[in-house]
Amino acid sequence: QVELVESGGDSVQTGGSLRLSCAAINYATEKKYCMGWFRQAPGKERERVASIAADGGTNYLDSVRGRFTVFQDNTKTRLDLQMNNIRLEDTATYYCALSRLPSIILGRGCRNWSGRDLTTWGQGTQVVVSS
């Protein structure tokens, strides 16, 4: 069974940078699935921040596009999220995720991946932004 382990969450000031990392353990099957980062702020619904498809295509939440970048290593078992020019509204618990549907089904860059089902989750890592 695949296990996702996140790290890198921290407290940061607005305008700062942070890099989150996710390791996919026991992910040995054909790498045809989406990987991505979701976040959930207190009192809000979980939202997909960035995702990457098996073909390397990416998709970003509008509010983070141009500030956040997702990186996947060649083995496709590590996924990093580089967060730059961080804003107060980026405060949330960030979750690494792996779809259980092939990325070819979930659209370009996995843009149709809601995470509501057929998704494996990490335990989450917290990002707290202060001014």
Side-chain angles (χ1 to χ4, degrees):
Q1 182 152 346
V2 177
E3 181 182 0
L4 303 175
V5 180
E6 304 105 331
S7 61
D10 205 346
S11 298
V12 62
Q13 290 189 321
T14 54
S17 297
L18 205 59
R19 191 173 181 108
L20 307 182
S21 293
C22 172
I25 300 170
N26 298 323
Y27 185 29
T29 62
E30 183 182 356
K31 307 297 193 299
K32 60 181 181 180
Y33 303 97
C34 298
M35 285 191 76
W37 288 92
F38 289 67
R39 71 185 181 188
Q40 187 166 20
K44 295 188 176 181
E45 291 190 358
R46 183 171 52 201
E47 58 186 359
R48 182 172 46 83
V49 175
S51 54
I52 185 165
D55 65 359
T58 56
N59 186 265
Y60 293 90
L61 183 68
D62 285 347
S63 64
V64 308
R65 189 173 292 113
R67 300 188 297 120
F68 292 9
T69 306
V70 64
F71 296 95
Q72 191 175 47
D73 73 341
N74 290 338
T75 67
K76 297 187 179 181
T77 60
R78 180 183 168 121
L79 188 74
D80 287 2
L81 182 69
Q82 178 65 41
M83 306 167 62
N84 296 328
N85 192 19
I86 292 176
R87 302 171 181 171
L88 286 172
E89 56 263 36
D90 295 324
T91 294
T93 299
Y94 285 71
Y95 297 91
C96 180
L98 175 69
S99 71
R100 296 203 290 272
L101 286 175
S103 64
I104 195 170
I105 295 176
L106 293 172
R108 186 183 181 95
C110 308
R111 61 185 176 184
N112 298 322
W113 182 22
S114 69
R116 291 192 186 94
D117 53 16
L118 296 174
T119 297
T120 298
W121 298 99
Q123 80 285 358
T125 187
Q126 195 166 15
V127 174
V128 178
V129 186
S130 60
S131 58

